Each structure stands twice: as structure tokens, then as C-alpha cells.
Amino acid sequence: MKTRIQELRKQRKMSQEELAEAVGVTRQTITSLECGKYVASLPLAHKIARFFGMSIEEIFLFEEEES
């Protein structure tokens, strides 16, 4: 899943560690989210969206899978 986390974090001149601390996860979790290796749980997605003052849909870019 693609996200805008890295873009938004850099706009605020924040490190991964600072964002991780703000939303209650590890830096490794933020790294994995930014690289698309991990999909955030709904509670975590909500925390991140609230932190940036945006909706979940504005940060997490869902792509429908073709059947």
C-alpha cells in the first residue's frame, strides 16, 4: 500500500523517530509503512491521520486489486 507519510513527515521536517514517538510506535514501523512493507492497523492509521490533521484516505492510498 502506498502512503504519503514520508512526504508529510518531510514537510514538517520531522525524523521517523519523532513521528514514531508522536503516534506511539517504533521507528522501524514508520520505516516499514513508508516503504510499503507494512499495512497500518485501523487504530494506527487513525492516529497518523489525526496527527497530520487529515483523513485516512488522504494519507493511505488504497489501490483496488484486479480479480
Side-chain angles (χ1 to χ4, degrees):
M1 172 186 307
K2 294 182 182 180
T3 74
R4 295 181 56 210
I5 295 171
Q6 184 175 29
E7 168 195 344
L8 296 168
R9 179 178 58 75
K10 287 184 176 184
Q11 284 177 0
R12 291 193 179 198
K13 298 180 176 22
M14 295 182 77
S15 68
Q16 290 177 331
E17 185 70 38
E18 290 169 325
L19 178 57
E21 190 173 310
V23 297
V25 297
T26 65
R27 181 193 57 77
Q28 290 85 352
T29 298
I30 298 300
T31 300
S32 294
L33 287 168
E34 289 182 355
C35 293
K37 295 180 180 177
Y38 175 72
V39 176
S41 65
L42 188 54
L44 177 55
H46 188 263
K47 282 183 187 178
I48 292 170
R50 191 169 3 159
F51 177 81
F52 287 114
M54 302 173 81
S55 70
I56 291 172
E57 293 84 359
E58 291 173 300
I59 297 173
F60 295 89
L61 310 173
F62 295 98
E63 296 175 348
E64 290 188 32
E65 294 182 23
E66 294 182 25
S67 0

